[in-house]
Amino acid sequence: MSRGRSLGRVLPLVAALALAACASKKPDDLAMDDTPADQLYNEGLAFRAAGDLKEATKKFEDVDRLHPYSEYARKSLINLAFTNYSRGEYAEAITVAKRFATLYPGSPDAAYALYIMGNSYFKQMPDVTRDQQVTAKALSIMRELVRRYPDSEYAADVRKKIRVTTDQLAGKEMETGRYYLKRHNYVAAINRFRYVVEHYQETRHIEEALSRLTEAYYALGVVNEAQTAVAVLGHNYPESQWYKDSYTLLKKGGYEPSANPQSWISKAFESTKVL
């Protein structure tokens, strides 16, 4: 079974211990618990294999608390990140995975720790109408994973999720830009649409962003920038309805699309070799 594309990939397992023995200790005994690290760790693995993630979490926490400098503490920490994630305890999963990545940056499981962190943020992404700080954090962690571990088994899945997060961040900028546009706050609207053009050209929002820039610049009387936006839009997306609508707007005023090479719009597309 491949380890990739799944947060639930199996970490090295030893023979599972009897679950009855795992549950034999009372909580009050833990203060003076001298159970060996390997035993606690194996009990945690046994609970995890049986699907009892709550008890598995407790065992891995015990190893981390009682034997913090042992090799089993490292193994328990990455398992703890996974069990917290699987239980929907995303804040805890992020905290533990971040600890692991900080303490063991050279570990083979460091990429997996970042993967858990990124997915924990990804799972908490809010609706596009709400604040997108969590989305931005998901994007940051996932980009870090791809940058540091471009050939890891998680990279392909992460790249797909990067596209989702960037699209959502662009969508938030577009929503805010439309809000300002409807209220005739053209400068504020332009700033939002410009951000999409400069930072999110590969998202599905780019055509509308250029069209909205045309509308906002035209309303301000900055016709040369409106002409440039339409020219760039038509060059890259000639079949787009956004282009047809923007072209019609210019024609009504007696203008034609014309790209000014000194415009920030032209330069933004030149930098990505789209224009």
Side-chain angles (χ1 to χ4, degrees):
M1 177 178 177
S2 172
R3 290 174 56 188
R5 305 178 184 174
S6 172
L7 280 161
R9 56 113 168 137
V10 179
L11 294 169
L13 293 176
V14 297
L17 302 179
L19 295 184
C22 298
S24 61
K25 289 186 178 291
K26 297 179 181 179
D28 292 341
D29 295 334
L30 292 177
M32 299 299 293
D33 197 334
D34 59 354
T35 306
D38 61 336
Q39 181 178 330
L40 289 170
Y41 176 69
N42 290 337
E43 290 174 356
L45 291 181
F47 277 121
R48 175 181 163 170
D52 191 341
L53 298 180
K54 183 176 181 179
E55 288 301 319
T57 297
K58 291 178 181 178
K59 292 298 179 180
F60 295 135
E61 286 176 339
D62 288 345
V63 177
D64 184 46
R65 179 173 58 85
L66 297 170
H67 307 279
Y69 305 111
S70 69
E71 173 66 11
Y72 291 100
R74 178 184 62 79
K75 296 178 180 180
S76 292
L77 204 58
I78 195 65
N79 272 281
L80 188 55
F82 167 75
T83 57
N84 276 312
Y85 173 84
S86 299
R87 295 171 62 211
E89 301 290 346
Y90 300 125
E92 289 79 359
I94 290 167
T95 298
V96 174
K98 187 179 296 185
R99 273 186 61 206
F100 186 94
T102 300
L103 291 173
Y104 310 106
S107 168
D109 287 319
Y112 186 49
L114 289 177
Y115 189 54
I116 291 175
M117 288 174 61
N119 276 283
S120 294
Y121 283 122
F122 189 84
K123 286 286 189 178
Q124 298 179 84
M125 282 167 47
D127 182 85
V128 73
T129 61
R130 300 173 61 187
D131 182 86
Q132 296 298 308
Q133 286 188 25
V134 170
T135 308
K137 288 179 179 178
L139 178 60
S140 177
I141 294 297
M142 290 180 177
R143 280 178 170 169
E144 181 182 356
L145 193 158
V146 171
R147 178 181 60 82
R148 290 173 57 185
Y149 309 100
D151 300 320
S152 77
E153 58 192 292
Y154 316 110
D157 180 55
V158 165
R159 288 188 179 99
K160 293 178 184 177
K161 288 173 179 173
I162 284 175
R163 288 195 288 272
V164 174
T165 56
T166 53
D167 192 83
Q168 178 144 326
L169 290 170
K172 179 61 177 180
E173 294 295 326
M174 292 300 299
E175 181 193 49
T176 306
R178 292 188 211 102
Y179 172 87
Y180 288 129
L181 191 62
K182 288 179 181 179
R183 286 155 182 78
H184 309 295
N185 189 344
Y186 299 117
V187 174
I190 287 169
N191 287 337
R192 296 294 183 161
F193 300 137
R194 177 171 182 164
Y195 195 85
V196 173
V197 169
E198 291 182 327
H199 297 276
Y200 301 122
Q201 283 188 17
E202 296 181 358
T203 70
R204 61 190 173 93
H205 300 283
I206 185 62
E207 296 171 37
E208 182 185 355
L210 287 166
S211 181
R212 298 296 186 183
L213 281 168
T214 302
E215 183 180 348
Y217 276 126
Y218 190 81
L220 283 175
V222 187
V223 178
N224 61 329
E225 289 289 60
Q227 290 175 293
T228 298
V230 178
V232 171
L233 180 56
H235 179 86
N236 293 291
Y237 311 99
E239 302 302 319
S240 169
Q241 186 61 47
W242 291 109
Y243 167 63
K244 294 174 184 177
D245 293 343
S246 296
Y247 182 84
T248 299
L249 177 64
L250 280 188
K251 289 290 288 183
K252 285 181 179 179
Y255 300 102
E256 291 286 339
S258 178
N260 175 5
Q262 300 305 313
S263 168
W264 70 265
I265 302 172
S266 297
K267 292 178 180 178
F269 276 80
E270 285 174 356
S271 66
T272 56
K273 296 182 174 57
V274 178
L275 183 60

